[in-house]
Amino acid sequence: MKKIAVIGTGYVGLVTGTCFAETGNEVICVDIDSDKVDLLKKGVVPIYEPHLDAIFHRNIKSNRISFTTDLEMAVDFAEIIFLALPTPPGEDGSADLSYVLAVADQLGSMMKEFKVIVDKSTVPVGTSERVKNKIAEKASVQFAVVSNPEFLREGFAVDDFLNPDRVVIGTENSRAIQIMTELYQPFVTDDHRLIVMDEKSAELTKYAANAFLATKITFMNEVANFCELVGADVDKVRLGIGSDSRIGHKFLYPGIGFGGSCFPKDVNALVRSGNDAGYSFEVIKSVLKVNDKQKVRLYEKVKNHYNDLKGKRFALWGLAFKPDTDDIREASSLYIIDELVKAGAEVVAFDPEAMSNVKRQIGDIITYSDNQYDVLDGCDALLIATEWSVFRNPDFDKMKLKLKKPVIFDGRNIFSTEQMVDLGFYYNSIGRDLIK
Ligand code: NAD
C-alpha cells in the first residue's frame, strides 16, 4: 500500500486516483475547482467515462480515496505526488506549462520528507528538469521527479489504466524507480511491460506516440479522399493494407479528422518544440494542415450537394469528439456546426453524453433534441459526426418517416453502402462509393 496524492481531478487525474485506490493504495485527489471537489465528495463523478462510476464508488466506500482543495494537507499525507494538470495549447501552439509550474512552485516549501513527484501531464522535453529546478528553489528535503506519461484513451480510460500496453517511467533516481515499480506492479503482468528510461526520452515518447497515431489517421483520410476521386473503396484498401503485419488494422479508419484534448494540441506542441530546437517537423506539420481540411469535409459534401444551404435544416448525430466520452474539445462536430450556421442552415443535434457541454460552449445557435429519432423531424438530411454504438443499428423505417428525404452524410462510415442502397437512402460517406 502506498500513500498517493493526485493533483488535478480531470479525465487523467480522476482515473489515475481511482485506479490506484482500486489496487489497494490510499489516495487523496486535489483540485483547485472547489465545485468539482464538492461534487466528488458527494459521490458524483463529474465526467462521463465507462466503468469509472462503479470503481469510484467501491473505493469511496472502502475509504481508499478522498477529495480536497488543500494541497498542503495532501502533500503532507503522500509519498508519491502525481501532477495531472492541464497543459493546454498556448497562443503560439506550444504547451502552456503554467499550471504545472505553479504547482511545482508550491511543492518545495510544503515537503517535509522525501517525496516522488510524478508528472502525468503531457509536457515537452525538458519539463521534468524545469519542475525539478522550481521545486529545488524552496525545498529543504530530498525529492525525485519522474516523467510518467499517460497513454489512456478517453472512452476506454479505466480499461487502459488497469491493463496498459506499457508503463513508461522516466527517471534516473534509483529510489524513485523502486517506488514506481512497486506501485505499478499490479498493472504490469507477464504480458505487459514497464519501461524505465531517462526523463527526456519519456517526455518525448508521449508526443511521438500521439504524433504517429495522428499521422496514421491522417494518411488514411487522404487515401479515402483519393478513393472518392478515382472510384476505389477505402474499406477494401483498409483491409488490404491492414493485413500487412508491419501496418496492422488499428487506426486505419477514415473519417472527418482527429480532435479531442490530446492529438491536436500534442502534435502542435511537438512542432513547436521542434522549432525551438531548430528542427522542422515536415510530416506532422502537413498532418495538421490536412486534418484542418478534413474536419469540415462533411460540410463540404453537404455544400456541394445542395449548393445553397439557406433555410435548410440538418439533423446532427454526435457531438463528442469520439464515442463513449462527453469531451468536445476540438470535436469535428463543432467545426461542421460553425460552417453550417454561417451558411444560413439550421442545425438540430443529438448526442448521448455531450449535449450539455456543447450547450455550455455554443449555447442556442443550434437546437438540441434528447432523442436520436425526434432530432430528424422535418430535416433535409442527417449528418453523422460521432460513431456512437446507438447509431449503428437504427430503425431506418422510422428515420425515413421523420426525415423530409432519405439523405445521410456519414462522416464516420457507420453503415454499409450496400445496405443503404437496399434501404433507398442517398448515402454519402468517406472514401466509398456515393450511393444515389
Ligand atoms: P482536465 O482539464 O480534464 O483536468 C485538469 C484538472 O486540473 C481540472 O480539474 C482542473 O481544475 C485541475 N487544476 C488546474 N489547476 C490546478 C491546480 N493548481 N491545483 C489542482 N488542480 C488544478 O485535463 P486532463 O484531460 O485530465 O489532462 C491532464 C493532462 O494529461 C494534460 O497534460 C493532458 O494532455 C494529459 N493527457 C490527457 C489525456 C486525456 O485523454 N484526457 C490522455 C493522456 C494524457
Side-chain angles (χ1 to χ4, degrees):
M1 192 277 286
K2 300 214 180 287
K3 292 186 172 182
I4 297 169
V6 180
I7 321 297
T9 58
Y11 287 88
V12 168
L14 193 55
V15 170
T16 300
T18 309
C19 290
F20 281 136
E22 178 73 0
T23 45
N25 300 291
E26 276 183 31
V27 181
I28 294 188
C29 293
V30 185
D31 207 287
I32 201 169
D33 179 343
S34 53
D35 292 341
K36 197 181 255 189
V37 170
D38 285 345
L39 279 179
L40 289 162
K41 279 182 172 169
K42 284 184 198 141
V44 179
V45 176
I47 52 167
Y48 175 73
E49 188 59 50
H51 313 303
L52 184 57
D53 234 57
I55 63 166
F56 175 83
H57 285 111
R58 184 159 62 233
N59 285 285
I60 285 194
K61 253 195 203 152
S62 315
N63 290 322
R64 282 195 296 260
I65 189 163
S66 58
F67 303 93
T68 183
T69 51
D70 187 342
L71 179 63
E72 186 152 18
M73 187 263 280
V75 170
D76 229 24
F77 164 84
E79 174 187 17
I80 312 170
I81 301 163
F82 279 88
L83 308 182
L85 294 158
T87 49
E91 269 175 27
D92 60 358
S94 62
D96 175 358
L97 295 178
S98 58
Y99 297 87
V100 171
L101 294 175
V103 170
D105 190 39
Q106 297 174 70
L107 291 179
S109 55
M110 293 177 176
M111 299 183 328
K112 299 190 186 105
E113 59 195 343
F114 178 80
K115 306 277 174 191
V116 180
I117 291 97
V118 187
D119 184 14
K120 256 216 174 300
S121 299
T122 303
V123 292
V125 175
T127 304
S128 291
E129 196 64 36
R130 291 179 69 184
V131 167
K132 220 183 282 178
N133 292 339
K134 214 15 128 201
I135 296 174
E137 281 171 19
K138 295 182 187 158
S140 53
V141 293
Q142 295 217 319
F143 65 95
V145 173
V146 176
S147 165
N148 170 219
E150 183 48 60
F151 300 98
L152 63 76
R153 298 161 297 166
E154 284 175 24
F156 301 90
V158 172
D159 284 348
D160 283 348
F161 199 94
L162 294 174
N163 303 293
D165 283 341
R166 78 305 209 182
V167 171
V168 170
I169 304 292
T171 182
E172 281 156 345
N173 180 304
S174 53
R175 193 166 167 191
I177 292 173
Q178 162 115 28
I179 290 170
M180 295 301 287
T181 305
E182 286 165 9
L183 177 66
Y184 273 108
Q185 201 279 328
F187 308 98
V188 187
T189 56
D190 287 349
D191 305 322
H192 301 127
R193 287 182 299 163
L194 186 136
I195 308 169
V196 179
M197 58 179 79
D198 63 275
E199 295 148 23
K200 287 183 178 171
S201 304
E203 289 165 339
L204 183 54
T205 297
K206 173 67 189 177
Y207 278 118
N210 275 1
F212 184 79
L213 293 170
T215 304
K216 206 170 173 188
I217 296 173
T218 305
F219 176 81
M220 245 3 241
N221 284 340
E222 286 215 288
V223 171
N225 296 344
F226 183 62
C227 281
E228 289 178 17
L229 292 176
V230 297
D233 182 333
V234 75
D235 278 348
K236 293 176 184 138
V237 178
R238 180 171 56 75
L239 278 177
I241 66 171
S243 330
D244 184 328
S245 60
R246 292 169 302 176
I247 296 174
H249 288 287
K250 289 186 181 165
F251 266 72
L252 290 185
Y253 290 83
I256 44 174
F258 59 78
S261 65
C262 291
F263 283 2
K265 103 175 154 57
D266 293 350
V267 177
N268 262 305
L270 184 55
V271 168
R272 182 66 207 198
S273 291
N275 290 347
D276 290 347
Y279 186 77
S280 176
F281 274 105
E282 296 302 330
V283 171
I284 55 174
K285 276 185 191 165
S286 304
V287 164
L288 289 168
K289 237 194 267 168
V290 172
N291 194 57
D292 282 347
K293 281 203 233 152
Q294 200 72 14
K295 280 186 148 176
V296 287
R297 189 150 178 89
L298 207 60
Y299 164 76
E300 299 291 346
K301 282 171 178 277
V302 174
K303 174 89 182 127
N304 289 340
H305 183 75
Y306 293 101
N307 209 12
D308 185 5
L309 298 182
K310 266 204 193 85
K312 293 268 182 288
R313 179 179 162 94
F314 296 107
L316 181 62
W317 275 5
L319 294 167
F321 85 93
K322 67 173 190 178
D324 294 320
T325 181
D326 58 353
D327 198 338
I328 56 160
R329 290 176 279 189
E330 288 297 315
S332 298
S333 63
L334 299 177
Y335 290 81
I336 295 165
I337 287 172
D338 192 43
E339 293 296 337
L340 287 171
V341 170
K342 270 197 291 196
E346 200 186 323
V347 179
V348 200
F350 169 76
D351 187 284
E353 295 293 340
M355 284 199 296
S356 51
N357 282 343
V358 171
K359 256 186 219 172
R360 246 196 312 277
Q361 186 163 322
I362 64 169
D364 293 333
I365 63 164
I366 62 168
T367 45
Y368 305 87
S369 169
D370 51 15
N371 180 292
Q372 84 182 72
Y373 294 105
D374 291 347
V375 77
L376 308 173
D377 281 330
C379 285
D380 291 277
L382 165 66
L383 277 58
I384 301 172
T386 316
E387 64 276 35
W388 283 94
S389 302
V390 285
F391 300 152
R392 286 185 182 274
N393 194 15
D395 182 340
F396 287 108
D397 292 335
K398 198 164 168 181
M399 289 168 69
K400 270 180 154 175
L401 282 176
K402 289 194 165 259
L403 284 165
K404 267 199 221 159
K405 285 191 175 160
V407 177
I408 298 178
F409 295 89
D410 181 358
R412 301 295 179 187
N413 289 2
I414 64 175
F415 306 132
S416 89
T417 44
E418 290 77 12
Q419 181 189 20
M420 300 316 277
V421 176
D422 291 348
L423 290 165
F425 276 87
Y426 168 91
Y427 182 59
N428 195 330
S429 55
I430 307 290
R432 307 189 295 182
D433 278 346
L434 185 60
I435 305 299
K436 295 180 190 177

